[in-house]
Amino acid sequence: MFNLQVAQNEMEEEEDKKRRRRDDEARMARASHSRRVIQVVAHRPSRSANTDRSRQRRGKDLLDDYFVRNNAFPDTYFRRRFRMERHLFNKIMIAVCNHDSYFVQKNDAFGVMSLIPEQKIIVALRMLGYGAFADQVDEIAKMEKSTILKSLMRFCSVIEFIYTTEYFWRPAQMDLQRLLKKGEM
């Protein structure tokens, strides 16, 4: 009788183990199904790898071409390319950098130096002066499209803030007459 009871207990334990195993397998199947559903629903396309744009080299080249003492191009090239004198560009750059820290060069999260102020401002001036698209300027400045557009938007808002009171006024009657006459010609 004792052996019968031991055998019955062993059978119950075996059935209990089988039931637990089946429950665990069902739970794992449900979990894996849920995981698959979440992966499908919440699937985001993976980010593409960052493109090495050699931004530090392009910034150095830009400084060597236009802004150092023995630059590669004379002042006439600067005026033709950027539609202003170099001293005016420097005045604007200093005012913009003093007003908005976005244009000041600093280290990023990885300790890499960011773009120089000249790069960000030149991009904005190119787009405004020539009506260029961000993709066209990207080839010249070696900057990402989002950075180009952000530079343009921030540059425009800073310029508007700094120079509105100084240069924005209602035209006098004489100015209005002169502009109308010029428009008729």
Side-chain angles (χ1 to χ4, degrees):
M1 186 155 158
F2 181 73
N3 287 341
L4 185 64
Q5 201 172 16
V6 170
Q8 196 175 16
N9 283 345
E10 285 178 3
M11 283 178 47
E12 285 177 5
E13 285 178 13
E14 278 298 316
E15 287 179 23
D16 214 25
K17 283 182 184 177
K18 287 179 184 176
R19 186 176 39 79
R20 272 191 249 132
R21 191 176 304 130
R22 279 194 311 264
D23 289 348
D24 287 345
E25 288 172 0
R27 200 176 308 114
M28 292 297 283
R30 281 194 308 270
S32 115
H33 176 71
S34 299
R35 193 176 307 117
R36 284 193 307 266
V37 167
I38 289 171
Q39 286 174 347
V40 167
V41 170
H43 175 69
R44 293 184 196 144
S46 61
R47 276 184 46 141
S48 59
N50 291 339
T51 306
D52 180 23
R53 298 179 180 276
S54 305
R55 61 184 186 188
Q56 282 81 19
R57 190 187 76 221
R58 180 58 190 132
K60 184 183 177 309
D61 291 347
L62 183 69
L63 291 175
D64 290 343
D65 289 346
Y66 297 107
F67 294 101
V68 294
R69 203 176 277 293
N70 294 324
N71 52 13
F73 298 107
D75 289 342
T76 55
Y77 277 61
F78 186 91
R79 173 137 176 82
R80 188 171 59 214
R81 187 139 310 148
F82 302 111
R83 298 185 179 201
M84 66 177 69
E85 298 289 335
R86 186 177 290 123
H87 68 87
L88 178 61
F89 178 87
N90 288 332
K91 179 183 173 186
I92 291 171
M93 184 182 67
I94 290 168
V96 167
C97 289
N98 286 337
H99 184 75
D100 190 353
S101 64
Y102 172 76
F103 292 96
V104 178
Q105 186 180 27
K106 36 193 171 297
N107 289 335
D108 66 6
F110 293 105
V112 178
M113 292 300 285
S114 66
L115 299 165
I116 60 174
E118 288 87 351
Q119 281 176 290
K120 295 177 184 177
I121 293 172
I122 282 174
V123 162
L125 289 174
R126 282 270 173 123
M127 289 184 75
L128 293 171
Y130 294 107
F133 297 110
D135 294 332
Q136 293 169 324
V137 178
D138 172 32
E139 294 172 4
I140 299 164
K142 306 292 186 203
M143 293 168 62
E144 182 64 36
K145 183 178 178 181
S146 60
T147 308
I148 292 170
L149 295 175
K150 185 175 183 179
S151 297
L152 175 66
M153 297 302 292
R154 291 188 78 140
F155 179 79
C156 289
S157 64
V158 168
I159 292 297
E160 181 181 355
F161 182 84
I162 293 173
Y163 294 110
T164 296
T165 57
E166 187 176 347
Y167 292 104
F168 188 65
W169 66 85
R170 289 182 170 270
Q173 187 64 28
M174 190 172 71
D175 293 334
L176 191 57
Q177 293 297 327
R178 181 180 53 82
L179 290 172
L180 289 173
K181 188 174 181 180
K182 188 175 181 180
E184 288 175 2
M185 285 190 231

